Amino acid sequence: MCAVVGVINSKQASLYAYYALFAMQHRGQEASGISVSDGKNLQTLKGKGEVNTIFNETNIASLQGELAIGHNRYSTAGSASLADAQPIVASCMLGEVALAHNGNLVNKDEVRTRLINEGAIFRSNMDTENVIHLIARSKKPNLKERFIESLKDCIGAYCFVLASKGKLFVVRDRFGVRPLSLAKLKDGGYIVASESCAFDLIEAEFIRDVKPGEMLIFTLGKDEFESIELFKAEPRICAFEYIYFARPDSIVEGKSVYEMRKKMGEILADKFKHKVDFVVPVPDSGVSAALGFASRLKIPLEMAIVRNHYVGRTFIEPTQELRNLRVKLKLNPMHKVLEGKEIVVVDDSIVRGTTSKKIISLLRNAGAKTIHFAVACPEIKFPDLYGIDTPTFEELISANKSVDEVREYIGADTLSFLSIDELKQSLGTQRQYSLVSFDGDYFIKS
Ligand code: AMP
């Protein structure tokens, strides 16, 4: 999953990068880092944990320079150790470079093995490190050409931001699976970030999305930047960004995530035929869809489950044991509201089924009489290999059980999902999407 940011030609480059990472904390909470260049040296600070625990006024002030890149990590490739925090920094013949990546390279193992056989020594477990070695080994005369050559060996979903002492390179894979946008800073500099919610925080003015297959090259001290069409665009934004991953206040590929989620809820409501007292959203992931659902059916929405916001998202912690504990720590149902009621609970997705099972049991214990469960996305039947952390086939409940078996497992009276066509209809049928988790169409192959 992860978030990337790049800032150039701003006296506050590291501060803006920090704010952007803060706004994009939901994209990764395992580790975070910022590299900054003052034109002569690249400095990097990274650590494990949330943005606010790593950076403070003093260390941000020490990251001086007008060019910065940053990263929030959520491991989809590699481990949770500090060696796997980004940006990755290395010195090569052309000087120091720092690289940050959102996405997943599907040919990472082949390339890594080849590089190791050729003598490369890897310091991390990340697919991103391949790119650093490819750049270092290239015989091309400058960083731009070396980076472009390296990208020929990168098959997968990626948004890269690469900094040298004086330049910022930004590139998005030809499918544009992960989002990446460009904005103008108030002080005249530029910022690129995974999500536009980062721009809102620092009042940067949105310019446009980085195009699929496009490389942007910025130079310290220059307002003009270069745009190269590296690969022919075949846009397929990841539907999961709209379903769950992106923040609702972000605009992804010109579409409001919040509006898309409401639409999914509306379309889900169209086929809901049961009589209920009210709609209950699963906070926070199901709220936007539940609003659409309730308004379409003209029934009340009750915030009958209260979320403790001081606990991070579940699922983030790798162990099953902690995941269960986290659901209990996080959500509290309101007995007085639920007692004897017939309700429909709306959530964004079912992955392992752990969360929905827990929620339904909490609601039953709180006195709800009938519990319908409506999911504002299709059944997740396939692991996503393009940068969303979904588990293996064995763990994906809908890969192994029919809708009715899932209903029984989670303990709901009825269970409904959006179909793939209904999802496309919600998002707009004029575009193509990455829908791998639902249809198993692994369109990026190594
Ligand atoms: P579960 O079914 O227990 O595995 O968890 C499903 C819930 O986790 C969903 O309702 C989402 O809010 C959230 N979720 C969905 N996909 C992901 C993901 N890839 N990473 C983390 N959380 C997710």
Side-chain angles (χ1 to χ4, degrees):
M1 315 228 264
C2 304
V4 292
V5 59
V7 181
I8 190 155
N9 294 330
S10 167
K11 295 222 162 12
Q12 314 238 62
S14 56
L15 187 64
Y16 281 138
Y18 159 77
Y19 285 139
L21 292 177
F22 184 79
M24 299 189 292
Q25 184 75 81
H26 60 289
R27 296 184 74 86
Q29 300 154 15
E30 271 173 26
S32 192
I34 294 177
S35 297
V36 61
S37 168
D38 58 5
K40 295 187 212 82
N41 292 301
L42 260 179
Q43 261 189 86
T44 298
L45 181 66
K46 50 188 179 179
K48 287 173 81 162
E50 294 179 13
V51 176
N52 251 354
T53 61
I54 300 160
F55 301 105
N56 54 49
E57 235 171 282
T58 318
N59 62 25
I60 285 288
S62 74
L63 292 174
Q64 287 289 333
E66 299 198 1
L67 162 53
I69 66 166
H71 186 264
N72 283 341
R73 175 162 180 76
Y74 184 123
S75 60
T76 50
S79 66
S81 79
L82 189 55
D84 285 357
Q86 297 191 20
I88 309 186
V89 186
S91 291
C92 63
M93 246 176 68
L94 301 173
E96 266 191 311
V97 292
L99 177 68
H101 172 205
N102 175 205
N104 221 6
L105 303 179
V106 293
N107 66 337
K108 54 183 178 278
D109 296 335
E110 291 112 89
V111 174
R112 187 180 172 107
T113 309
R114 193 186 85 211
L115 288 164
I116 289 176
N117 288 340
E118 288 169 3
I121 301 168
F122 275 77
R123 294 181 56 212
S124 78
N125 297 304
M126 288 180 292
D127 51 354
T128 315
E129 195 179 343
N130 290 357
V131 185
I132 291 283
H133 288 283
L134 291 165
I135 290 173
R137 273 151 196 264
S138 167
K139 299 282 181 288
K140 298 282 184 191
N142 57 43
L143 187 55
K144 171 177 156 186
E145 287 180 50
R146 284 182 177 216
F147 190 27
I148 292 174
E149 187 179 65
S150 309
L151 290 169
K152 304 215 163 90
D153 270 329
C154 294
I155 301 174
Y158 55 78
C159 289
F160 286 119
V161 288
L162 173 74
S164 66
K165 278 179 224 165
K167 284 194 188 290
L168 170 66
F169 299 83
V170 174
V171 64
R172 196 167 169 210
D173 74 73
R174 72 193 162 107
F175 300 103
V177 177
R178 309 260 70 90
L180 192 65
S181 307
L182 170 69
K184 187 92 176 155
L185 291 162
K186 282 194 145 174
D187 63 4
Y190 289 100
I191 178 167
V192 288
S194 301
E195 276 186 48
S196 67
C197 63
F199 305 150
D200 296 344
L201 185 61
I202 53 178
E203 297 176 5
E205 195 185 325
F206 178 86
I207 300 174
R208 66 174 173 88
D209 289 318
V210 177
K211 294 181 202 130
E214 183 182 29
M215 177 180 270
L216 299 179
I217 306 171
F218 300 86
T219 306
L220 265 183
K222 272 200 189 168
D223 188 49
E224 316 77 67
F225 59 88
E226 192 183 347
S227 156
I228 306 171
E229 186 189 345
L230 271 192
F231 307 104
K232 199 178 162 338
E234 291 177 51
R236 287 184 79 155
I237 183 78
C238 171
F240 226 74
E241 292 282 350
Y242 292 110
I243 292 165
Y244 167 74
F245 200 41
R247 247 172 65 160
D249 50 345
S250 285
I251 309 290
V252 173
E253 291 282 324
K255 302 251 186 177
S256 149
V257 173
Y258 176 66
E259 293 301 334
M260 293 290 99
R261 285 185 191 160
K262 278 207 320 200
K263 189 91 198 145
M264 291 177 224
E266 284 167 21
I267 293 185
L268 191 61
D270 284 342
K271 59 182 185 185
F272 186 77
K273 301 291 173 228
H274 310 280
K275 253 196 86 54
V276 290
D277 295 308
F278 51 82
V279 178
V280 177
V282 175
D284 294 326
S285 58
V287 172
S288 316
L291 278 169
F293 192 98
S295 76
R296 184 71 138 227
L297 292 180
K298 299 193 173 53
I299 47 175
L301 180 123
E302 295 280 4
M303 298 297 288
I305 307 173
V306 173
R307 176 171 167 180
N308 181 337
H309 278 102
Y310 301 94
V311 187
R313 281 185 182 193
T314 52
F315 207 119
I316 294 281
E317 295 292 339
T319 67
Q320 185 73 26
E321 194 189 347
L322 265 183
R323 219 171 2 250
N324 292 339
L325 174 72
R326 286 202 157 222
V327 177
K328 287 185 267 171
L329 284 173
K330 201 164 94 170
L331 301 172
N332 190 30
M334 286 197 268
H335 293 244
K336 284 223 151 53
V337 179
L338 291 159
E339 198 83 66
K341 298 293 192 232
E342 300 192 32
I343 61 172
V344 54
V345 181
V346 177
D347 202 2
D348 67 298
S349 57
I350 293 182
V351 182
R352 294 177 169 88
T354 322
T355 314
S356 27
K357 188 179 173 69
K358 290 272 164 203
I359 287 169
I360 290 168
S361 123
L362 292 177
L363 292 167
R364 286 221 191 274
N365 290 338
K369 193 169 85 191
T370 309
I371 304 175
H372 303 281
F373 206 84
V375 184
C377 90
E379 292 163 86
I380 298 177
K381 293 183 178 228
F382 302 89
D384 182 299
L385 302 182
Y386 305 147
I388 292 281
D389 181 35
T390 40
T392 55
F393 275 110
E394 292 69 42
E395 290 170 283
L396 286 174
I397 189 163
S398 291
N400 298 289
K401 292 186 193 291
S402 66
V403 175
D404 198 51
E405 286 166 341
V406 175
R407 180 202 60 72
E408 199 181 326
Y409 175 83
I410 65 173
D413 291 286
T414 73
L415 172 64
S416 49
F417 289 92
L418 276 186
S419 68
I420 296 178
D421 278 346
E422 287 161 347
L423 171 64
K424 288 190 200 158
Q425 200 188 323
S426 318
L427 299 175
T429 46
Q430 66 284 26
R431 301 186 290 167
Q432 299 278 341
Y433 302 94
S434 167
L435 297 163
V436 270
S437 322
F438 314 117
D439 63 8
D441 173 11
Y442 290 99
F443 57 96
I444 313 179
K445 294 194 179 71
S446 64

